[in-house]
């Protein structure tokens, strides 16, 4: 009897489930375990959200349910998405993901507009990928010809030869195959969407998974090929639309961004028809993303994207795009621009830094637009300058010569000061540590060049951080050395110091100090110089660049010889005094350059100051760098005053 009642209850439950439209199989068949593997769960959850964004319009129109079963499925998917999010390993993004999932559920329950639900679903999907990164782009450029072959062999029987969903095998299927030529639905789909469907299949349909049948490269090629069906005009008109639209080039700057791009998202920055042309063209020619964006055009495109993001309230995205505009656009061509107009390059750096700071502080969007327009004007001037004055032999020669002399002079002064001091102290045994330091710095620089050229591309941020931190470290060391040398230059202290040092061997700590200071001072300049030369070398003027390098090296050797010869003739007291002043000035210069580099890397803000830019002295028109230099100058002044007071007190 009890068994019969249990069976009756089970039958009643199944009947109720059928009445409210719960499908027998779906994306949500099995609840995820307490903690799921992101590598397996995130792609499925992302696909579910993408499906929801595209198909919600088939369930609700203008606030009214047009398909009860579809609407119930949308509600189920939204709730199951929240469960999957909470089942992922906890992270700092978990509260945000939970909140976004709750908003999505509330929108669907309220029968919100199709566009609002689609945007929220895509927002949650994008946040999910940021919190739990998975591969979202092909490992190599998709081959559209291969995609066409795969489509005809695997897909045309159901989807039709031209993607209308009318293939001979498809007309008998229920539900019918998707019509890839429907632009309203295609506008909500990305190449990544199509790839995930091909990879995982679609439950409750005849669409099976091809993960075991096709390679990942073939699935990506097929996804890109299928993604062109809805945009037939793109082949003829898309190329012009892509090259003319700075907003599009600012929004799609990498293989990952192209794989995730949708017409619906691009249409927020341009009209829908233009977005269809651009995306249709890029899916047919994915290599165009890398061909079109480089240098100043990339910087201008990222700047335009930054302003658009700021107007939408996405402040952090706007700031990151603004930072990328400099690091990925301006910084790689800094050497070419520096060789033509150093002042313009300096104004661009300062203006872009000030714009980033303004974004971080918030404020009126129109004011940000005006500031960005000023930056864009400088970038346009730079773009015109670089286009009109293509590097000739003499330009390359002078650029290589100027860069080496300018960058090498600071390191040379440190090395010469150390050698002169050791010779004055008759510590010839210690000079080998100085020579070892600068030789190893050159070797390390050559290794950096090899790695940068053949293994990895050193990012602008990494370069600026390396320059900035090493400059500040060297400035701190030189600050101490300058105060110490000044102390020995007064009251005859240098005489007793030299007598003590000549009587004992150089200890291990002092030896490593001399080596470390030499290495850091030289490597910082070598690092920057090599990356400048890498940029110049791309202009196909290798022999003239090499000639500039050789002449610059000879100039530095001549300067070193003159300084060392002059130092030998100086009285010891005067030598200590002059050396302390030179090293103190170098500490101030490196402080300014270090802060400027950190500003360019986005580590600190930029507030414009009414002073000229003097790169040789490390003076830049920002209050942050000037105040840092003032602080070092005050420490030196106080230290020098204390040294004199102590000398009089003895």
């Amino acid at each position: 009897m009890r068994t019969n009642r249990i069976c009756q209850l089970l039958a009643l439950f199944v009947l109720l489930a059928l009445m409210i439209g719960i499908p027998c199989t779906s994306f949500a068949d099995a609840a995820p375990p307490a903690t799921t593997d992101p590598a397996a769960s995130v792609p499925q959850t992302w696909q579910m959200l993408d499906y929801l964004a595209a198909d919600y319009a088939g369930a609700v129109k203008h606030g009214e349910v047009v398909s009860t079963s579809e609407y119930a499925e949308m509600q189920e998917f939204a709730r199951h998405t929240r469960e999957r999010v909470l089942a992922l390993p906890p992270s700092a993004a978990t509260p945000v993901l939970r909140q976004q999932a709750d908003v999505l559920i509330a929108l669907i329950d309220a029968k919100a507009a199709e566009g609002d639900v689609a945007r929220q679903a895509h927002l949650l999907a994008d946040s999910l990928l940021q919190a739990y990164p998975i591969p979202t782009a092909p490992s190599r450029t998709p081959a559209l010809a291969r995609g066409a072959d795969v489509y005809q062999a695997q897909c045309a029987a159901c989807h039709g030869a031209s993607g209308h969903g009318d293939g001979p095998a498809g007309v008998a299927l229920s539900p019918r195959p998707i019509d890839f030529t429907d632009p309203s639905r295609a506008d909500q789909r990305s190449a990544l969407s199509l790839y995930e469907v091909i990879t995982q299949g679609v439950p409750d349909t005849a669409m099976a998974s091809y993960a075991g049948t096709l390679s990942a490269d073939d699935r990506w090629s097929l996804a890109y090929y299928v993604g062109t069906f809805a945009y037939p005009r793109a082949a003829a008109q898309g190329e012009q639309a892509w090259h003319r639209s700075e907003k599009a080039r600012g929004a799609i700057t990498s293989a990952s961004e192209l794989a995730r791009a949708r017409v619906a998202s691009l249409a927020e920055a341009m009209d829908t028809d233009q977005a269809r042309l651009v995306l249709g063209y890029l899916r047919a020619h994915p290599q165009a993303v890398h061909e079109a964006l480089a240098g100043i055009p990339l910087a201008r495109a990222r700047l335009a994207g930054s302003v658009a993001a700021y107007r939408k309230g996405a402040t952090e995205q706007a700031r990151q795009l603004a930072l990328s505009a400099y690091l990925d656009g301006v910084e790689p061509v800094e050497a070419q621009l520096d060789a033509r107009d150093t002042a313009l390059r300096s104004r661009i750096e300062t203006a872009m830094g000030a714009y980033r700071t303004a974004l971080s502080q918030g404020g009126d969007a129109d004011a940000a637009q005006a500031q960005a327009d000023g930056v864009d004007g400088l970038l346009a001037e730079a773009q015109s300058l670089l286009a009109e004055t293509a590097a000739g032999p003499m330009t390359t020669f002078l650029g290589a010569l100027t860069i080496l002399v300018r960058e090498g002079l600071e390191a040379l002064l440190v090395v010469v000061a150390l050698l002169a001091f050791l010779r004055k102290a008759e510590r010839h045994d210690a000079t080998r540590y100085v020579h070892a330091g600068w030789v190893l710095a050159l070797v390390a620089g050559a290794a950096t060049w090899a790695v940068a050229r053949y293994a990895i591309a050193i990012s602008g941020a990494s370069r600026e951080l390396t320059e900035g931190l090493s400059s500040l470290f060297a400035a701190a060391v030189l600050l101490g050395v300058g105060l110490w040398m000044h102390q020995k230059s007064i009251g005859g202290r240098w005489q007793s110091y030299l007598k003590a040092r000549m009587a004992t061997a150089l200890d291990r700590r002092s030896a490593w100090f001399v080596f470390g200071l030499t290495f850091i001072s030289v490597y910082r300049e070598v690092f920057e110089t090599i990356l400048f030369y890498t940029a110049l070398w791309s202009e196909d003027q290798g022999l003239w660049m090499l000639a500039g390098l050789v002449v610059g090296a000879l100039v530095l050797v001549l300067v070193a010889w003159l300084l060392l010869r002059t130092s030998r003739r100086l009285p010891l007291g005067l030598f200590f005094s002059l050396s302390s002043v030179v090293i103190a000035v170098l500490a101030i210069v490196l402080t300014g350059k270090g802060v400027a580099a950190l500003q360019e890397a986005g580590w600190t803000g930029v507030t414009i100051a009414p002073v000229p830019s003097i790169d040789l002295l490390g003076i830049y028109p920002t209050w942050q760098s000037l105040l840092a230099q003032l602080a070092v100058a005050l420490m030196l002044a106080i230290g020098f005053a204390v040294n004199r007071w102590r000398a009089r007190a003895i």
Side-chain angles (χ1 to χ4, degrees), residues 495-512:
Q495 295 176 338
S496 59
Y497 171 78
L498 291 182
K499 289 179 180 179
R501 284 301 174 189
M502 285 187 289
T504 59
L506 189 72
D507 61 59
R508 185 179 297 273
R509 176 183 294 182
S510 299
W512 281 111

Side-chain angles (χ1 to χ4, degrees), residues 481-554:
V481 172
L483 292 173
W484 175 83
M485 294 192 78
H486 179 263
Q487 181 189 42
K488 301 304 179 186
S489 70
I490 57 180
R493 293 189 177 188
W494 55 268
Q495 295 176 338
S496 59
Y497 171 78
L498 291 182
K499 289 179 180 179
R501 284 301 174 189
M502 285 187 289
T504 59
L506 189 72
D507 61 59
R508 185 179 297 273
R509 176 183 294 182
S510 299
W512 281 111
F513 171 81
V514 169
F515 170 82
L517 177 58
T518 305
F519 180 87
I520 290 294
S521 299
V522 174
Y523 178 74
R524 175 199 174 278
E525 305 301 338
V526 172
F527 179 83
E528 185 172 10
T529 302
I530 284 176
L531 293 180
F532 271 139
Y533 279 173
T534 300
L536 283 179
W537 189 271
S538 66
E539 296 187 356
D540 199 24
Q541 298 287 348
L543 290 177
W544 287 96
M545 191 196 78
L546 184 60
L549 188 153
V550 171
V551 173
L554 292 175

